[in-house]
Amino acid sequence: MLRHEFQPGRLMAGAALTATGALFIGDAADAWHTPWFVVIPLVVGGLCLAGAIGTVARGMRRHRTPARTPPPASHHPHEPR
């Protein structure tokens, strides 16, 4: 499996939507009662928090990585200079 960059904003978005889903699954199973309007602040708040976390993480990543320099131009032996 290829490795990928850790993205905490996406992790937070997934956690917020999973928590909302679990809350309403409990309501559907008659474990507790959840009003329908609870989904709005959970989803919107979770996505806003995920966006803020993603923005901070991207800013931290930009300051940590050095600027890339282009590779030196190589001349082909059959190419005129």
Side-chain angles (χ1 to χ4, degrees):
M1 185 168 130
L2 297 175
R3 292 191 173 257
H4 59 85
E5 191 173 6
F6 175 63
Q7 296 176 340
R10 289 188 180 189
L11 176 67
M12 183 62 219
L17 295 175
T18 301
T20 304
L23 190 65
F24 280 96
I25 286 174
D27 183 39
D30 288 329
W32 55 78
H33 175 69
T34 306
W36 65 269
F37 54 84
V38 172
V39 73
I40 296 168
L42 283 175
V43 170
V44 172
L47 291 178
C48 287
L49 185 60
I53 290 171
T55 302
V56 169
R58 184 173 179 169
M60 290 173 62
R61 211 169 26 248
R62 275 191 173 172
H63 288 294
R64 203 173 3 153
T65 57
R68 293 184 180 184
T69 58
S74 62
H75 294 287
H76 194 271
H78 301 291
E79 194 176 280
R81 291 186 180 196

